[in-house]
Amino acid sequence: MAELVSSKSTQNLEQGVRKRRAPLPRLGTLLGLWLPGLLVAGGVLLPIAYLVLRASQADSAIWDLLLRTRTLEITLRTLWLAFSVTLASVAIAVPIAWLTTRSDIPYRRLWAVLTPLPLVIPSFVGAYLFISTLGPRGLIQSWLEPLGVMRLPPVYGYPGAVFVLTMMSYPFVLLSARAALQRMDPALEEAARSLGRGPWRTFWSVTLPQMRPAVAAGALLVALYVLRDFGAVSIMRYDTFTRAIYIQYQNSFDRSTAAALALVLVAITLLILLVEVRTRGRARYYSSTAKSSRPPTIVALGRWRWPALIFCASIVMAALVLPTGNLLYWLVRGLGAGEQVNDLWLSAQNSITGSALAALGAVVAALPVAILDVRHPGKISHLLERISYVAFALPGVVIALALVFFGTNFALFLYQTLPMLVFAYVLLFLPEAVGAVRTSLLQVHPSMEEAARSLGHKPFSVFRRITLPLVRPGIGAGAALVFLTAMKELPATLILAPYGFKTLATGVWSAVSEAFFAQAAAPALLIILVSSIPLAFILLRENKQE
């Protein structure tokens, strides 16, 4: 995640590369980089083309749908939810990032490992756990029933959706902010303190401005994550565009209405991306190296140590311990009542297979895009790199609708097959792999590759012997992120999965939809356990850089 959202810290390397004038592409470069890069861009643009085609076939009634008050209300509700969750995530993540990298908070390394872990919990799992704990007939109400409390107030709607999505998505900002702090040169902070500024003023005047690009990038991911979320808002009964699109898809044979609604969501997300790109383009943040050359000075919190400890512990308790403990409770309760856990191993095998293939496909697709943008800079290569981020702005429902149309009309042999489902995963999560590979490649000086070519090595040999080993950490991090997020993907899996192909995510969703919380506990715990493996890889690699 750090590679995806904090590339600002390596802008000096990027500028050094961009100052070199790229030579005219050879035949090998055209076939090995440009052709695959253009194919990747074409695959990413496929859903957009489908939406435009579908919406253009709609009759005049579609405008009545788009312009009616209900559509405007859903738009405002969606934007308000995205804004609220993003603001809350930043308010939680930035203090934790600073505390775990710059302060003497007790058990600092422990909090550095535990606080990002809620990222492995799917939003729909977090939502159903929230309902099963605090809902009108939830776990806490059953404990209070002997005291005469027969029903708790409802927790559905906006407040519940904000809480659940914030707890599940603040690690996006946290990981990016931590990466920025770890790569930041501590000399500026030390100079500010030597001039008499205290830790608080130093943070606001020196540290936070340098963190701003990374925090903004993480906040962008949170906003897009909320816009495309389906599971949590459905369980919390809060209408957003993603839920409206899915309902329209289920209840109507005419997909034009769903496509038109999806285009509105695409317009919103592209506007957000445009604002982020323009803002980022005006800012300039340079560092002399890709990471800080020496460890920063640890700030003594003094009397604030224990409030800081309580803050971190509370977040971990709410976002990680309570959900996991609740899952264990429902699992034990279900097994004690004689519930059977059916096809769990088969579902886990399907989830792992699909996610692993998606991770492999995403890094393979990301390599030509990243290499073109870094080693062959230009308008077209930069455009290909930006196009790869378009898919992250689209919900899984939109990708699934596009591939259903493509499969039924042009590739019936691929319809509802595993390759099509994996292709959907690659389109959805390609930006995570592109960002990771690209940032690692920026840290490899091109003179190393030029030296190998001067010794007579062919371009492919240079890539295999020099470039690939040096960017292997970025490839691993990108693959880990794609694997983690593919394990949790729900809408695309529900629509595109082959007949009888059950995954852990669909198993949890089916059980939760019927309010069978005990049956949902086992696959949900398995999702968390399996998804923790790639996140542990990222965190261990991050700790090695400290």
Side-chain angles (χ1 to χ4, degrees):
M1 184 64 64
E3 286 84 354
L4 175 64
V5 295
S6 62
S7 60
K8 282 293 180 182
S9 58
T10 59
Q11 281 193 351
N12 61 311
L13 294 175
E14 183 179 3
Q15 283 202 341
V17 173
R18 291 188 183 278
K19 287 181 180 178
R20 300 172 177 267
R21 182 175 296 276
L24 293 176
R26 300 177 180 178
L27 181 61
T29 304
L30 288 173
L31 295 179
L33 292 177
W34 284 103
L35 181 59
L38 291 173
L39 289 175
V40 171
V44 173
L45 292 176
L46 180 64
I48 303 295
Y50 158 76
L51 293 177
V52 173
L53 177 63
R54 262 302 191 193
S56 65
Q57 297 174 350
D59 54 26
S60 58
I62 195 66
W63 293 107
D64 296 333
L65 173 67
L66 294 178
L67 298 177
R68 68 182 182 179
T69 306
R70 178 60 178 168
T71 304
L72 177 60
E73 180 184 346
I74 292 178
T75 302
L76 295 178
R77 288 165 64 92
T78 303
L79 290 173
W80 180 240
L81 180 66
F83 174 78
S84 302
V85 174
T86 303
L87 186 63
S89 298
V90 171
I92 291 173
V94 172
I96 293 178
W98 187 85
L99 288 171
T100 54
T101 56
R102 292 291 195 268
S103 76
D104 64 344
I105 184 175
Y107 313 109
R108 180 163 61 97
R109 288 188 176 273
L110 176 64
W111 303 125
V113 172
L114 292 181
T115 48
L117 285 180
L119 189 64
V120 306
I121 303 176
S123 62
F124 60 92
V125 173
Y128 105 75
L129 290 175
F130 181 66
I131 293 297
S132 65
T133 303
L134 298 175
R137 303 295 297 175
L139 187 62
I140 292 181
Q141 190 275 330
S142 65
W143 293 345
L144 297 176
E145 192 168 340
L147 301 178
V149 179
M150 304 306 298
R151 188 176 183 87
L152 291 176
V155 293
Y156 298 100
Y158 170 77
V162 169
F163 177 81
V164 170
L165 288 171
T166 299
M167 291 297 101
M168 301 301 108
S169 58
Y170 79 84
F172 283 114
V173 183
L174 173 61
L175 289 171
S176 61
R178 274 182 54 84
L181 286 168
Q182 288 170 339
R183 292 170 175 163
M184 193 180 299
D185 192 343
L188 293 175
E189 297 170 307
E190 294 169 0
R193 284 193 289 269
S194 69
L195 295 175
R197 296 190 178 185
W200 185 247
R201 291 187 61 193
T202 299
F203 172 78
W204 281 104
S205 61
V206 178
T207 309
L208 188 59
Q210 294 185 82
M211 292 173 59
R212 187 173 67 180
V215 172
L220 172 67
L221 292 179
V222 172
L224 296 181
Y225 180 82
V226 174
L227 288 178
R228 62 183 291 181
D229 178 76
F230 166 73
V233 295
S234 297
I235 293 176
M236 301 308 301
R237 303 176 188 174
Y238 185 82
D239 287 334
T240 63
F241 257 111
T242 306
R243 188 175 183 223
I245 292 168
Y246 186 79
I247 293 174
Q248 193 67 39
Y249 165 78
Q250 278 193 323
N251 298 337
S252 175
F253 290 103
D254 183 10
R255 305 289 165 78
S256 300
T257 303
L261 290 175
L263 278 179
V264 177
L265 180 59
V266 169
I268 294 173
T269 51
L270 291 180
L271 178 61
I272 294 175
L273 285 171
L274 179 61
V275 171
E276 191 273 340
V277 169
R278 291 291 180 89
T279 304
R280 184 178 62 182
R282 291 193 295 268
R284 293 292 181 264
Y285 299 85
Y286 302 99
S287 60
S288 57
T289 58
K291 56 176 285 188
S292 60
S293 58
R294 54 193 174 86
T297 302
I298 299 300
V299 178
L301 295 176
R303 62 180 181 177
W304 292 102
R305 290 187 75 204
W306 299 113
L309 179 64
I310 293 173
F311 171 70
C312 289
S314 300
I315 297 299
V316 170
M317 180 66 67
L320 184 64
V321 176
L322 285 181
T324 306
N326 198 354
L327 283 174
L328 290 172
Y329 167 80
W330 283 108
L331 178 62
V332 172
R333 180 176 174 177
L335 294 177
E339 298 243 3
Q340 298 294 323
V341 181
N342 299 322
D343 299 330
L344 189 60
W345 168 245
L346 180 60
S347 298
Q349 186 178 12
N350 290 339
S351 294
I352 293 172
T353 300
S355 300
L357 291 174
L360 177 62
V363 295
V364 170
L367 279 169
V369 176
I371 293 174
L372 284 172
D373 186 58
V374 175
R375 292 293 185 257
H376 303 273
K379 291 183 178 180
I380 298 179
S381 59
H382 184 61
L383 178 62
L384 291 179
E385 188 264 340
R386 295 310 303 174
I387 287 176
S388 68
Y389 283 82
V390 172
F392 200 81
L394 300 176
V397 175
V398 174
I399 299 293
L401 287 172
L403 294 186
V404 165
F405 175 80
F406 174 77
T408 54
N409 289 276
F410 304 104
L412 191 59
F413 66 96
L414 287 176
Y415 180 62
Q416 285 196 317
T417 62
L418 182 59
M420 179 166 283
L421 179 61
V422 171
F423 182 51
Y425 289 159
V426 172
L427 293 182
L428 284 166
F429 310 124
L430 178 63
E432 297 172 343
V434 170
V437 174
R438 180 176 177 274
T439 303
S440 288
L441 192 59
L442 283 171
Q443 297 175 354
V444 178
H445 201 282
S447 62
M448 303 178 67
E449 298 164 325
E450 293 169 358
R453 283 193 292 268
S454 68
L455 295 175
H457 287 279
K458 300 291 185 181
F460 181 76
S461 177
V462 173
F463 171 77
R464 182 172 59 86
R465 294 171 177 266
I466 305 297
T467 309
L468 188 60
L470 292 174
V471 301
R472 191 174 296 158
I475 293 176
L481 282 171
V482 174
F483 181 92
L484 186 156
T485 47
M487 285 285 297
K488 305 187 297 180
E489 174 57 29
L490 181 63
T493 309
L494 288 173
I495 297 174
L496 295 175
Y499 180 77
F501 188 86
K502 297 181 179 180
T503 65
L504 293 173
T506 58
V508 174
W509 178 254
S510 298
V512 170
S513 299
E514 302 295 331
F516 295 147
F517 294 145
Q519 292 183 10
L525 279 171
L526 203 50
I527 288 177
I528 294 173
L529 178 63
V530 176
S531 301
S532 297
I533 297 174
L535 184 59
F537 168 82
I538 297 173
L539 294 176
L540 289 174
R541 185 167 164 269
E542 183 184 83
N543 289 334
K544 287 181 181 179
Q545 295 176 347
E546 290 186 345

